[in-house]
Amino acid sequence: MKVLAIETSCDETGIALLDCSGGLRAPKFKVIKNLVASQILAHRPFGGVVPNMAKRDHLTAFPVMWEEIIRDQSGKDKDAAKALMKKIDFITVTVGPGLEPALWSGIEFAKGLAKEYKKPLIGANHLEGHLYSFLLPGEKMDSRLRGNDRKGVFPAIALIVSGGHTILLRMESFTKWKQLGETRDDAAGEAFDKVARLLELPYPGGPEIEKLAREGNPNAVTLPRPMLKEKNYDFSFSGLKTATLYYVRDTAGLKITNFGLDSQAVLQKNQSRNVNKADIAASFQAAVLDVLVTKTIRAAEQVEARSIILCGGVAANTALRDALSAAAKKAGAKFFVPEFKYNLDNAAMIGTAGYMAYLRKKKYPLKANGNMGI
Ligand code: KG4
Ligand code: ZN
């Protein structure tokens, strides 16, 4: 099946074309085109994503990206769009979770196309997109995932770590899972972003912290490992963020002020120059990774998982990929992670979720649902 996928849940506008086959048991995907327009630079001065600005920028990006897809696939003549759409079996669009104004812009755009070209429109769950993104092909893709040999994947433990979510799932198959735990407050990516702001690093903070952490000592600052010892599979990162804040304040003797989008406490401009940011970044990252890896492995051992799947924006963190990969190996489980280009929000992953929803006859309402779960 040829699928046109659209993603606008946050600050990336995504349009992708995929070939999907294999059915629910052995889904296979070929990415024909995957366009992503990032709004990071537009939101950076605000230290986070401004929802209505995200919506406006999605609306500006659509015509340009749509034009590019048509030209690339179908040429320049006046019926090029029609010719392209003739080959499409259905359109899929993210309906949640995410920022509702941003989600609506994609939904309306998709509805317009579906109506104009008389195509079915399937709602897709953004989190399922992250979950299936390890199935998108790439050079380093595990050979087991290329063909139909999907034995040895399930039961699996999946860790979804993004800017909005930290979720542990036990998966029996590609379509059957149970949520074991989630964060009780901040998501892991959110904690990265907030600590980055504290250290006066640009948004999004995850990649900045990771870069800085490479030069720092992860044992320099003693930080808590929240909920590490608790026997459940929930997480909490808000206390770790606050502990980092207090460390910075007390060590540097600085005054903390409130400003920015969510009144997040941050240091007054340029005051953090007296603290060793690299050591703080490395120590903070080590604490987050310690909790994520330990709890994921504990879950994998408990359910005797055959594999561990890591996904979501924070899965772009090399230190996390390496640590979880090594721990999985030690625990005797296979380790799957998406190609780097599919970790952050993109429409190719929404194509995978749309295909699975289509086959499962799962009909998510075609309206924005900011708090949708998995
Ligand atoms: O999945 P994603 O693109 O959007 C959501 O669905 O939330 O994830 C974005 C999050 C941001 O919080 C960002 O700081 C974090 O992923 N992130 C990282 C890295 N790259 C992105 N966190 C840690 N290390 C990274 N290299
Ligand atoms: Zn995401």
Side-chain angles (χ1 to χ4, degrees):
M1 300 190 94
K2 256 202 179 55
V3 177
L4 174 69
I6 294 156
E7 151 68 28
T8 61
S9 69
C10 193
D11 59 346
E12 326 281 348
T13 319
I15 306 188
L17 265 182
L18 289 89
D19 254 332
C20 311
S21 59
L24 290 174
R25 284 173 158 231
K28 270 202 283 186
F29 302 97
K30 193 175 148 212
V31 181
I32 303 165
K33 191 88 183 162
N34 183 39
L35 294 182
V36 182
S38 175
Q39 305 172 4
I40 281 178
L41 293 179
H43 297 282
R44 186 165 277 174
F46 303 94
V49 180
V50 187
N52 277 320
M53 218 168 97
K55 173 186 171 171
R56 189 198 63 197
D57 288 359
H58 289 313
L59 294 175
T60 318
F62 282 139
V64 186
M65 296 170 80
W66 181 231
E67 184 73 27
E68 188 179 333
I69 294 250
I70 296 167
R71 276 194 188 196
D72 183 71
Q73 297 296 309
S74 198
K76 279 189 192 168
D77 88 51
K78 69 173 176 29
D79 289 329
K82 227 192 215 163
L84 169 66
M85 289 310 286
K86 225 174 157 177
K87 296 186 216 151
I88 301 289
D89 291 283
F90 66 85
I91 302 170
T92 182
V93 62
T94 310
V95 293
L99 304 168
E100 294 202 353
L103 288 164
W104 272 119
S105 62
I107 295 169
E108 293 301 342
F109 178 68
K111 276 187 174 171
L113 289 179
K115 195 167 168 212
E116 188 174 350
Y117 298 101
K118 299 191 178 49
K119 295 290 169 183
L121 179 57
I122 308 294
N125 181 323
H126 183 84
L127 295 171
E128 290 174 14
H130 278 304
L131 186 60
Y132 295 133
S133 56
F134 76 105
L135 295 169
L136 291 166
E139 284 141 45
K140 283 186 242 126
M141 189 183 204
D142 191 298
S143 58
R144 277 176 299 249
L145 295 175
R146 282 190 200 281
N148 281 338
D149 178 18
R150 305 294 170 84
K151 287 181 210 124
V153 175
F154 303 109
I157 289 292
L159 174 65
I160 309 176
V161 262
S162 69
H165 297 86
T166 307
I167 295 174
L168 259 184
L169 296 181
R170 174 203 164 119
M171 294 177 79
E172 304 309 326
S173 70
F174 285 116
T175 52
K176 212 170 136 206
W177 56 73
K178 185 175 167 251
Q179 184 168 313
L180 298 179
E182 65 180 330
T183 184
R184 294 190 181 170
D185 40 60
D186 292 353
E190 191 179 354
F192 267 98
D193 293 338
K194 286 178 174 172
V195 167
R197 275 179 73 183
L198 172 70
L199 299 178
E200 295 176 303
L201 301 170
Y203 172 84
E208 301 291 330
I209 297 255
E210 179 177 14
K211 228 185 293 164
L212 204 53
R214 286 193 204 114
E215 297 152 28
N217 171 6
N219 301 313
V221 184
T222 308
L223 291 172
R225 267 69 174 153
M227 301 187 71
L228 185 69
K229 299 235 159 71
E230 289 186 28
K231 283 202 169 63
N232 54 48
Y233 293 114
D234 284 344
F235 300 93
S236 162
F237 293 105
S238 152
L240 173 57
K241 169 200 72 191
T242 309
T244 312
L245 173 79
Y246 289 159
Y247 172 83
V248 174
R249 181 193 66 184
D250 298 343
T251 326
L254 298 175
K255 193 171 141 219
I256 307 286
T257 59
N258 282 335
F259 79 87
L261 280 181
D262 56 355
S263 298
Q264 178 58 42
V266 292
L267 295 171
Q268 270 177 353
K269 202 141 183 58
N270 295 327
Q271 285 194 331
S272 67
R273 64 180 178 273
N274 300 327
V275 294
N276 187 333
K277 290 187 191 181
D279 281 351
I280 296 168
S283 303
F284 166 77
Q285 179 173 279
V288 175
L289 268 48
D290 199 3
V291 178
L292 291 176
V293 171
T294 306
K295 288 202 120 167
T296 305
I297 295 296
R298 200 183 293 155
E301 281 172 347
Q302 202 218 336
V303 310
E304 296 182 14
R306 293 168 112 176
S307 76
I308 291 172
I309 299 165
L310 172 66
C311 60
V314 183
N317 186 291
T318 308
L320 174 59
R321 292 163 89 96
D322 291 350
L324 195 52
S325 164
K329 196 169 173 193
K330 215 166 136 202
K334 292 173 199 109
F335 178 67
F336 298 119
V337 68
E339 290 282 306
F340 275 110
K341 63 180 169 206
Y342 298 127
N343 282 289
L344 299 176
D345 293 346
N346 64 85
M349 72 180 202
I350 298 309
T352 65
Y355 175 67
M356 300 300 269
Y358 180 86
L359 296 181
R360 281 160 71 201
K361 300 187 171 47
K362 177 105 194 148
K363 291 200 168 77
Y364 290 113
L366 290 167
K367 50 185 190 185
N369 180 353
N371 298 317
M372 201 165 163
I374 185 160

